[in-house]
Amino acid sequence: MKYNFSKIEKKWQKYWEKHKLFEAKDFSKKPKYYCLIEFPYPSGDGLHVGHTRSYTAMDIIARKRRMEGYNVLFPIGWDAFGLPTENYAIKTGIHPKIVTKKNTNKFRKQLKSLGFSFDWKREINTSDPDYYKWTQWIFLQFFKHGLAYKSKIPINWCPSCKIGLANEEVINNKCERCGTPTTKKEKEQWLLAITKYAEKLLQGLENIDYLEKIKIQQRNWIGKSEGTLVKFPIADSQKILEVFTTRIDTIFGCTYMVVAPEHQIINDLKSNIINFEEVEKYIEEAKQKSDLQRTELNKEKTGIELKGVKAINPFTKKQIPVFIADYVLANYGTGAVMAVPAHDIRDWDFAKKYNLPIIESIKGGDVSKQAFTEDGILVNSGEFTGLTSKQARQKMTEWLEKNNLGGRMIQYHLRDWIFSRQHYWGEPIPMVNCEKCGWVPVPEKELPVKLPNVKNYKPTDSGESPLAAIDWWVNSKCPKCKGPAKRETDTMPNWAGSSWYFLRYIDPKNKKQLADNKKLKYWMPVDWYNGGMEHTTLHLLYSRFWNQFLYDIKAVPTPEPYKKRTSHGMILGADGEKMSKSRGNVVNPDDVVKQYGADTYRLYQMFMGPFDQATPWDTKGIEGAKRFNNKIWLIGQIKISKKSQNKELEKLLHKTIKKVSEDIETMSFNTAVAALMIFINECYAQKEVPQKIWEDFLKILSPFAPHLSEELWQKLGKKKSICLEQWPKYNKSLIQEGNFTLVIQINGKTRDTLLAPINITQDLVLELALKQENIKKYIPDKSAIKKIIFVPNKLINIVI
RNA sequence: GCCGCGGUGGUGGAAUUGGCAGACACGCAGGACUUAAAAUCCUGUGGCCUCAAAAGCCAUGAGGGUUCGAGUCCCUCCCGCGGCACCA
């Protein structure tokens, strides 16, 4: 009688696999539905409870869609290239391929033990040469379309790992992997010109169903701002300093300029700078600092005047000093700013410190006390005096255009994507460097460029990839002139493989294309993609970029890859802190499944709190899910009756169907489970539960607790899987109540309630209300009533 | 410093979007069953007041405001979490 979950769960997992219940069918006549979860990185630690919560959620949606008659694609794979595996290889000498195989085996077993309805036939692995052949192919298309280029840029450098890091890989001024503080280094890197897609990425957001906060975050990250480019001539020189500003209206108050320490102009004007030694020293110091350190210096701004260099304000024609300061970043905008202390807080602080003039050019504040940063009416601005800021921006920009000193400019915060890594465990970049021809792409028919075996996975001390040490591999022939050439030894970042994996699921074995066109047309776009907020500005934006590019070259049929995007909250440790090994608050899914079974685990994860918010793990809380599970089992064993009827229970069933159906769509899984619990509590109180009612309940339970539902379904004598059943529809007329509880308020405070028939009129309500004992106390006679607010089928509020 | 998300009983959290605050669950207390424990079942469970109940009052981070009515809307502030690129 006792529910033997481990036996029963295994039984049904085998059954599903044997009967291929979750295999998606290409070109089925049913409408298609593509559910996507973020595929895991198979780390050595195994599956995390954070994974399973979001996978359970999407599994519920996938199972519901199948029952609603959709041909569902719910695939799984491995984002297998990455640093932890490489670090592990460095430590142990075991090949990353072997480590990955071991880890994916473990993950696969774990995922299967939870009963997820993945289509395992479409399993992919980004480190598989048959997969990364196409990652390389896409890179070649980027190159051929001028969107992949090499550039010498200041990059974050980890002196310990001896690799270049993208900004997003530097956490708190330290290397993401080893914690060593990073410095700057000039390095030739491959970049992808994502900025060329800034406008498209922005526009694309208009017509897709992403959570608003996700759109906001992407928009902020892309950071479009419309403003003005201004050219400041340098006195006694042919050079000019270009500046981008959104506040051209304040330019008459521009009393100095600031350039980034890395700015080219410093070298160009080297001979003019009197205090070059001092300047050089400052530049060296800035190199040691990360962007974040520069940020921390916020309170105490530093800078050095470039003595001997004067810029000319194109409007006032006055000569103004030029400073270098590390709070201006070289890789944003033009790397130089015009400083208007009267109307910018940061410039005001800087001007006070270095005793620079503060000239008001917008009326409205007291600039001797603080910067006035709002729009207003221009003063001290020559022919522009008296205009509003808005008018002035227009007129002044036109003036600049006329005089060839600048003009309208759109600036994006988004930066091009640094695409090279000096690692072993990544996709080799399929390029060859020929002395005569320069960078030449490897011919497509020679793809994939396979990762060769190496003995040492550590980057060389010069910062080159470990691949650089393999002469036979590096030395190659130029595909163009057949002369001697060297292979690119950098590999791609771990985001490469994940930028297009959703396409490969559609046709995972295709040898000729990344995926068959007709299949792509059938399945794309992804209908619902759920993932973490932390991927919003990296993976999510990158994959949108790749898909948009592939669309432009006609390799995929839709401009946007994902129709709908939602996000999940983190599972915190029992202490309310982020789960981490060092805190010792990590919960292992295996332990929970072993002790409670997959269904209880699934139910608890859905019940523990709102899906989109962080919730702490509660070891006690899972007991509730277990009791719920046991109650269902018990009812299924002893209370089901073919003959009996129960109108009230039927009503509750239909309410529950409605609630659960709607809550799944809004990912309000916690309240959906609560509704199921309410229903079960009611059943539990009954002597008998009519089988018809029970059948529908099992159907709506099945996405949450699939094994238990199958078992109880079979107990009813059913021959086919409950997965093949139709999702029940609720009966509207059964849900409508004849009576409702009407709230009687006096001066907005609830004083009594009344059971009233639906659609009762105000007059009748008032009459009934005044008869209530409690109300009589407050309203001795009708003349005391000043006002009545009546909300039909809800409440009456009597103001006295 | 900036951006985003939050703050509701002892705990996780509900609240049809401005209409009975605390659904559901955990925990706790009392009781039943048991030699006993576990499991299970029943009852109670925001605070104050009360022997108890009814009634009343207070209560959704703090303080104001709008409204017949505010957890929900507006303003000011405090705290927690996550992200960050002083973005000109």
Side-chain angles (χ1 to χ4, degrees):
Chain A
M1 198 79 144
K2 213 186 152 212
Y3 183 55
N4 186 342
F5 57 77
S6 59
K7 208 172 148 190
I8 290 171
E9 286 176 354
K10 267 194 205 101
K11 166 183 154 188
W12 288 106
Q13 283 158 15
K14 268 188 201 150
Y15 179 94
W16 295 329
E17 203 165 334
K18 191 181 157 199
H19 294 266
K20 300 177 179 169
L21 284 179
F22 307 133
E23 283 181 19
K25 288 170 192 68
D26 296 326
F27 312 120
S28 148
K29 274 182 192 143
K30 288 182 185 175
K32 68 98 186 176
Y33 202 90
Y34 188 172
C35 294
L36 188 65
I37 45 113
E38 285 170 346
F39 63 162
Y41 173 71
S43 75
D45 300 334
L47 202 64
H48 186 270
V49 285
H51 289 123
T52 61
R53 189 176 185 216
S54 66
Y55 295 177
T56 303
M58 200 43 84
D59 188 51
I60 287 169
I61 289 159
R63 284 173 179 272
K64 178 167 182 257
R65 286 289 180 277
R66 285 191 201 97
M67 293 173 80
E68 286 170 333
Y70 287 92
N71 176 30
V72 169
L73 173 56
F74 185 39
I76 181 74
W78 317 107
D79 189 12
F81 278 131
L83 299 172
T85 306
E86 177 158 328
N87 285 340
Y88 186 81
I90 291 169
K91 233 197 278 173
T92 62
I94 302 172
H95 197 286
K97 216 191 284 175
I98 293 164
V99 178
T100 299
K101 180 127 195 170
K102 199 179 116 212
N103 290 348
T104 51
N105 284 343
K106 184 174 176 186
F107 268 70
R108 195 180 298 108
K109 206 179 147 202
Q110 288 182 300
L111 289 172
K112 286 192 173 179
S113 80
L114 280 158
F116 294 132
S117 63
F118 292 127
D119 180 351
W120 285 98
K121 270 215 161 144
R122 294 171 186 257
E123 183 180 336
I124 57 171
N125 184 324
T126 55
S127 66
D128 180 347
D130 286 338
Y131 181 94
Y132 70 69
K133 169 179 177 178
W134 299 104
T135 313
Q136 292 175 336
W137 180 85
I138 296 168
F139 179 88
L140 291 182
Q141 308 314 308
F142 275 120
F143 179 81
K144 284 170 188 168
H145 288 82
L147 294 167
Y149 63 98
K150 246 196 170 178
S151 176
K152 202 167 201 177
I153 44 157
I155 57 157
N156 301 303
W157 176 254
C158 174
S160 166
C161 303
K162 303 219 160 56
I163 55 159
L165 300 167
N167 283 315
E168 44 274 332
E169 288 175 316
V170 180
I171 312 279
N172 285 335
N173 178 29
K174 282 172 191 150
C175 171
E176 184 184 51
R177 315 189 304 143
C178 69
T180 308
T182 55
T183 59
K184 293 276 154 88
K185 184 172 175 156
E186 293 269 324
K187 176 100 189 160
E188 283 270 325
Q189 300 278 324
W190 285 102
L191 281 96
L192 291 188
I194 189 172
T195 51
K196 290 210 170 133
Y197 274 72
E199 196 58 41
K200 274 191 184 181
L201 289 166
L202 215 47
Q203 288 302 318
L205 288 173
E206 297 303 323
N207 301 315
I208 44 183
D209 179 19
Y210 287 17
L211 289 181
E212 199 51 37
K213 62 177 172 183
I214 295 172
K215 287 191 185 182
I216 290 170
Q217 212 168 305
Q218 287 210 345
R219 279 196 199 106
N220 288 348
W221 188 264
I222 295 166
K224 181 181 181 176
S225 64
E226 291 177 62
T228 309
L229 180 79
V230 197
K231 295 177 182 175
F232 285 70
I234 301 294
D236 309 319
S237 144
Q238 295 299 308
K239 301 280 170 198
I240 51 161
L241 249 184
E242 288 191 338
V243 153
F244 172 78
T245 178
T246 54
R247 291 302 305 274
I248 188 68
D249 53 310
T250 65
I251 195 166
F252 279 83
C254 169
T255 51
Y256 64 95
M257 300 188 73
V258 187
V259 300
E262 302 88 349
H263 201 286
Q264 185 60 36
I265 200 112
I266 298 162
N267 249 320
D268 293 349
L269 297 173
K270 198 172 171 179
S271 51
N272 301 38
I273 301 169
I274 303 162
N275 58 337
F276 193 76
E277 251 178 55
E278 196 187 0
V279 169
E280 223 174 10
K281 204 179 142 211
Y282 185 84
I283 294 168
E284 276 309 309
E285 280 167 16
K287 261 190 201 171
Q288 306 304 313
K289 297 175 192 168
S290 72
D291 288 0
L292 202 88
Q293 272 175 311
R294 292 179 175 195
T295 311
E296 280 169 348
L297 289 171
N298 194 11
K299 281 156 201 153
E300 191 61 31
K301 285 177 183 62
T302 62
I304 303 279
E305 187 179 348
L306 300 178
K307 288 189 179 142
V309 177
K310 295 281 181 196
I312 298 165
N313 183 325
F315 282 86
T316 64
K317 307 291 179 210
K318 275 186 192 151
Q319 294 203 357
I320 53 175
V322 179
F323 284 75
I324 62 165
D326 57 14
Y327 74 83
V328 174
L329 302 177
N331 51 5
Y332 179 75
T334 61
V337 299
M338 64 176 218
V340 185
H343 305 294
D344 182 286
I345 294 163
R346 195 189 48 221
D347 296 342
W348 195 89
D349 293 342
F350 194 86
K352 277 282 166 192
K353 183 173 176 185
Y354 293 98
N355 227 351
L356 294 155
I358 298 172
I359 297 173
E360 183 181 50
S361 61
I362 308 287
K363 210 164 63 183
D366 181 358
V367 300
S368 66
K369 294 219 174 82
Q370 59 172 27
F372 176 71
T373 57
E374 281 160 51
D375 276 11
I377 306 291
L378 272 71
V379 292
N380 301 327
S381 297
E383 58 182 290
F384 302 96
T385 299
L387 295 177
T388 64
S389 290
K390 205 179 162 193
Q391 291 167 331
R393 284 195 282 269
Q394 174 85 23
K395 287 265 155 67
M396 287 170 144
T397 306
E398 282 166 13
W399 184 91
L400 284 167
E401 267 161 16
K402 231 180 280 163
N403 292 283
N404 207 21
L405 284 164
R408 246 171 62 80
M409 185 179 173
I410 292 170
Q411 176 72 47
Y412 297 95
H413 295 187
L414 187 68
R415 296 198 285 256
D416 276 347
W417 174 8
I418 301 165
F419 202 68
S420 297
R421 298 292 183 273
Q422 293 72 47
H423 285 304
Y424 172 73
W425 195 229
E427 302 88 344
I429 293 174
M431 297 294 292
V432 170
N433 193 9
C434 168
E435 282 166 31
K436 275 189 222 153
C437 314
W439 284 106
V440 180
V442 172
E444 284 176 21
K445 63 175 189 292
E446 284 175 29
L447 296 181
V449 176
K450 280 194 192 172
L451 266 177
N453 283 320
V454 296
K455 281 189 187 126
N456 183 4
Y457 304 103
K458 233 177 174 168
T460 65
D461 285 355
S462 62
E464 280 183 283
S465 151
L467 296 177
I470 313 174
D471 289 341
W472 66 263
W473 189 79
V474 172
N475 293 317
S476 180
K477 260 190 207 163
C478 173
K480 231 185 214 169
C481 71
K482 310 290 171 205
K486 284 184 188 300
R487 278 187 196 282
E488 171 61 63
T489 59
D490 283 355
T491 54
M492 299 186 199
N494 49 331
W495 285 288
S498 62
S499 289
W500 71 283
Y501 75 114
F502 50 92
L503 298 169
R504 190 61 177 174
Y505 281 140
I506 287 169
D507 197 7
K509 306 263 154 45
N510 197 318
K511 296 252 177 206
K512 289 177 188 151
Q513 278 172 287
L514 61 87
D516 176 76
N517 286 334
K518 278 185 191 147
K519 289 182 186 172
L520 284 168
K521 215 166 180 176
Y522 177 80
W523 285 111
M524 284 301 284
V526 172
D527 290 279
W528 194 335
Y529 189 20
N530 184 76
M533 273 314 277
E534 71 272 20
H535 292 124
T536 302
T537 51
L538 301 177
H539 159 67
L540 195 66
L541 196 67
Y542 289 153
S543 57
R544 286 186 60 221
F545 165 47
W546 279 42
N547 192 86
Q548 285 189 348
F549 167 70
L550 290 171
Y551 174 74
D552 285 347
I553 64 165
K554 299 193 163 56
V556 301
T558 62
E560 286 291 338
Y562 322 117
K563 215 171 174 177
K564 176 178 179 137
R565 167 80 179 191
T566 52
S567 77
H568 55 254
M570 243 191 305
I571 295 187
L572 307 172
D575 51 3
E577 301 282 329
K578 203 170 169 176
M579 277 193 194
S580 73
K581 261 191 191 167
S582 55
R583 284 204 186 86
N585 59 356
V586 177
V587 175
N588 183 347
D590 290 349
D591 299 339
V592 186
V593 172
K594 205 173 161 193
Q595 197 181 343
Y596 294 95
D599 285 340
T600 297
Y601 180 63
R602 291 167 64 112
L603 281 164
Y604 172 62
Q605 285 210 322
M606 291 300 97
F607 183 63
M608 66 193 298
F611 179 69
D612 62 340
Q613 267 163 55
T615 313
W617 183 270
D618 181 6
T619 331
K620 287 268 173 61
I622 198 166
E623 289 290 337
K626 181 182 149 192
R627 281 175 206 155
F628 175 54
N629 208 317
N630 288 346
K631 272 187 192 175
I632 300 170
W633 176 248
L634 209 70
I635 294 167
Q637 297 304 299
I638 58 171
K639 294 204 177 185
I640 309 309
S641 140
K642 270 191 176 158
K643 284 174 203 154
S644 78
Q645 287 200 344
N646 189 333
K647 263 265 147 12
E648 284 307 308
L649 194 63
E650 196 183 354
K651 269 189 189 177
L652 182 62
L653 170 74
H654 282 264
K655 270 190 197 168
T656 310
I657 293 172
K658 180 173 193 278
K659 179 80 180 144
V660 171
S661 303
E662 289 170 358
D663 280 357
I664 290 174
E665 296 308 314
T666 56
M667 302 194 116
S668 311
F669 301 108
N670 52 336
T671 49
V673 174
L676 293 169
M677 284 173 168
I678 290 169
F679 180 80
I680 277 302
N681 288 343
E682 192 54 40
C683 289
Y684 206 65
Q686 305 291 327
K687 271 211 178 95
E688 290 185 326
V689 174
Q691 178 164 333
K692 271 239 142 55
I693 291 177
W694 188 244
E695 285 180 9
D696 274 353
F697 167 76
L698 288 180
K699 287 179 203 166
I700 59 171
L701 173 73
S702 67
F704 295 86
H707 313 87
L708 176 66
S709 314
E710 288 279 22
E711 186 67 18
L712 290 173
W713 186 251
Q714 192 186 47
K715 255 203 163 93
L716 296 174
K718 308 287 182 184
K719 295 277 180 289
K720 278 187 189 163
S721 163
I722 196 167
C723 300
L724 299 168
E725 291 299 313
Q726 257 194 6
W727 189 256
K729 287 198 173 81
Y730 64 90
N731 184 338
K732 263 187 199 162
S733 59
L734 276 175
I735 284 175
Q736 264 175 9
E737 295 280 358
N739 293 321
F740 72 100
T741 310
L742 185 128
V743 174
I744 307 168
Q745 294 184 334
I746 293 172
N747 290 350
K749 288 202 169 161
T750 303
R751 294 301 176 186
D752 213 338
T753 61
L754 192 65
L755 197 68
I758 211 140
N759 294 332
I760 188 170
T761 63
Q762 175 175 336
D763 292 346
L764 196 55
V765 167
L766 185 64
E767 196 183 312
L768 288 169
L770 291 174
K771 278 185 193 158
Q772 301 279 111
E773 282 303 323
N774 249 343
I775 304 302
K776 273 190 202 165
K777 261 194 327 203
Y778 290 93
I779 311 171
D781 68 294
K782 270 193 176 179
S783 62
I785 299 172
K786 275 189 190 158
K787 193 178 174 186
I788 291 167
I789 286 116
F790 180 69
V791 185
N793 299 329
K794 207 154 253 172
L795 62 76
I796 186 162
N797 186 10
I798 305 166
V799 185
I800 53 169

